[in-house]
Amino acid sequence: KETNSPHLLLAGAGSGKTKIIVDKFLYLLNFFSADSILVLTFTNNAVDEIKRRIAKRMNIGRYSKFINDKILNISTYHSFFYSIIKEFYIELGYKSVPMVCDTKIYQCNINNECGDTIYIYYDDIILNVIKLFQKDNIANEISSRYKYILVDEYQDLDFLSDYLIKKIDAGRGKIMYAGDDDQSIYGYNGGDFFNILTFDLFFPFGKVFVFQNNYRSLPTVVEFCN
């Protein structure tokens, strides 16, 4: 029920992090419209799980159409940032919406143009949005759409992505981060749990909640891991 301050949920394995994100989303519907709540996570599987749990809690049987029509902003980080590029590609100087690829495209010119198709790499997604957010009108436009932000898997978020999320929050402090520094596995891809350790530097009046009980694993497993 905390809505008046930025806060960090430090949640160990099996401690109910996804449940809290779902419960938080449903609670926020008392104050904000569904499409003004932005939920960001790392994988498509996590997106589907959060949507499924929300639909189940709202007693929606066939939830696909409702999710697509009403809950528009539950997304992976890359998908969300790419949607911004698709909306403002002209401002970036592209002639058409660029396609995302994860391998080197051959037979393209220096601007990665292959005929009528333009390609960008995953790393370019973040850099393009940073370039867009240097224009105050675009940053303010995106920020105005979202009244609250829920950030999942914070330990795997890279610094620049976190910078963009803070730009969208625009100092309002209407944000909850959830993560576990012991589960950081995407360092090779820029993920940096240092974000967690510096939470209080960016949000000196923020709050930290710690979930330590593992409800998923047997006691013998928990004791061995400890």
Side-chain angles (χ1 to χ4, degrees), residues 156-175:
D156 288 321
L157 193 63
D158 63 273
F159 177 82
L160 293 179
S161 296
D162 192 29
Y163 163 79
L164 293 174
I165 291 171
K166 286 181 170 68
K167 287 280 285 186
I168 295 172
D169 176 62
R172 294 183 295 243
K174 299 294 186 180
I175 189 167

Side-chain angles (χ1 to χ4, degrees), residues 13 17 41-43 46 77 152-158 179-194 196:
K17 175 170 59 67
T41 188
F42 211 83
T43 67
Y77 300 110
D152 188 21
E153 305 293 2
Y154 189 37
Q155 75 279 352
D156 288 321
L157 193 63
D158 63 273
D180 178 8
D181 56 337
D182 285 334
Q183 296 187 62
S184 181
I185 61 173
Y186 285 97
Y188 68 89
N189 202 33
D192 191 349
F193 69 87
F194 191 70
I196 290 179

